[in-house]
Every structure is written in structure tokens, then in C-alpha cells.
Amino acid sequence: MIPTTPEQALAELYAGNRRFVTGVPRHPNQDADHRAAVADGQHPFAVIVGCSDSRLAAEIIFDRGLGDLFVVRTAGHTVGPEVLGSVEYAVTVLGTPLVVVLGHDSCGAVQAAREAVAAGASPAGHLGAVVEAVVPSLRQAARQGVEDVNAIVDIHIAQTVEALLARSAVLAERVSAGRCGVVGMSYRLSAGEVRTVAEVSAGTP
């Protein structure tokens, strides 16, 4: 049964992550019959706006399969027009009830941004755009007196949640109408566990 509410979708993600962490994954919806069943259409129950880190494969860490998750990944889960458009497509056209911002400890994008700020120079090429997108989170951390990199990651995840809602009137409207929720999660690379660090419940104006 496909989750149809933000609460059901979040519970399903946590259930899958527990299976992954404890070493008893079910690998649902990965068989040939399901592959054929979803060939003509998709109804993902969660959008994952995640970091591109190779160790953060959403379908694996949440023990899901084909058609379950609509995944958008950028370094440092930075948000640009293409990301916003992808999220809006999922929540409006596909009716996905939950958007998850998925970050992780020891994030390379956060570390690169810290180094760039310390050096007073942004990296060359398009990597500079990734760093610039993370800098506001570093400033927020500085205002709070936070220096630990993983605590900064949590702040960056929460900032990304806020950015999604601030920059997408479409998403904000869906949340306000009670049709979608937005959650920020942090993943521990060594343990495999996710935890919620920010949440905007469906119905929040």
C-alpha cells in the first residue's frame, strides 16, 4: 500500500531505514513484476532532496524500490531552479505527500565552504556556486556560536528546508493546504541511521 499522507510516508521511510540499519532489508518493489507494473506511471510517496555523496543512496538506506522515491541530488543538497522545479513537479503532478531534505555527517560541501570562507576565496569553476549556496548556513552557525562540522550540517539541512519553502510558492501552498509535509533528515555514514533535524508539518501556514 502506497503511503498517501506525510505522516504515513515518514513512518515508511523510518521503517525502511530500521531494516537497513539492522541488516534485514526486504528490498521491496525491485522484482520484475513491479518493474513492469510501474512502467506506465509512477506514484512516489516521498521526494528526497539529497546530497550527491556516493554513500547516500536513498533507495538503499530507506530500503525501497522502483517507483517509491523521487530523488533529486546535488552536492550539499543545494537548491537551484532545477531542483525547485523537480520538487514542484513531484508534489503537484505526481501528488507526492512528503519532501525530505537528506544530508549527512562529515559533508564535503560544508567542509569546502568552511575552507573557502577561511581562505577568503571561492573555488574556481562551478564548484564556487555550491560553496556560495552553503555560506548562508555557515553564517547562521556563526551567529549561534556553532563550530562543530556535524552541528553545522544540521543547520544547513534546516536552512535548506526553509529555502525550499521560501523559494517555492507552489510547495508552500501545498504544505499550507495540508497536502504535503517537509522534513530535514541527517544520515550517519558509519551507523546508517537517519534522524529528523527539522520538520514543517502539513497544514503549517
Side-chain angles (χ1 to χ4, degrees):
M1 179 172 152
I2 299 174
T4 58
T5 69
E7 296 78 14
Q8 291 172 354
L10 185 60
E12 194 65 32
L13 290 178
Y14 267 108
N17 182 245
R18 282 194 297 272
R19 295 194 299 270
F20 170 68
V21 170
T22 57
V24 289
R26 295 205 314 253
H27 304 297
N29 299 333
Q30 297 183 22
D31 57 280
D33 287 342
H34 188 75
R35 182 181 68 220
V38 297
D40 292 331
Q42 59 173 322
H43 302 283
F45 66 83
V47 183
I48 309 294
V49 179
C51 181
S52 297
D53 192 290
S54 61
R55 300 161 292 182
L56 201 66
E59 286 87 354
I60 295 176
I61 70 173
F62 290 118
D63 190 31
R64 300 309 313 179
L66 299 172
D68 291 333
L69 307 177
F70 192 88
V71 182
V72 187
R73 298 176 70 180
T74 61
H77 49 80
T78 53
V79 175
E82 295 84 0
V83 172
L84 293 170
S86 298
V87 171
E88 290 177 356
Y89 174 81
V91 300
T92 58
V93 177
L94 302 178
T96 307
L98 182 67
V99 176
V100 174
V101 174
L102 181 63
H104 63 94
D105 57 357
S106 305
C107 179
V110 170
Q111 293 172 337
R114 293 184 80 184
E115 292 168 3
V117 168
S122 186
H126 294 292
L127 179 57
V130 174
V131 166
E132 288 302 315
V134 178
V135 166
S137 297
L138 296 182
R139 292 176 180 151
Q140 178 65 22
R143 286 191 291 269
Q144 297 179 18
V146 175
E147 297 183 358
D148 176 73
V149 65
N150 292 328
I152 295 174
V153 167
D154 287 355
I155 289 172
H156 181 49
I157 292 168
Q159 291 283 102
T160 304
V161 168
E162 292 182 13
L164 285 172
L165 291 164
R167 297 176 62 185
S168 174
V170 171
L171 177 59
E173 181 181 352
R174 301 286 287 196
V175 171
S176 179
R179 303 176 70 178
C180 186
V182 185
V183 172
M185 288 184 175
S186 185
Y187 174 78
R188 291 179 59 198
L189 293 172
S190 61
E193 297 173 337
V194 295
R195 58 187 174 85
T196 296
V197 299
E199 185 169 4
V200 180
S201 301
T204 302

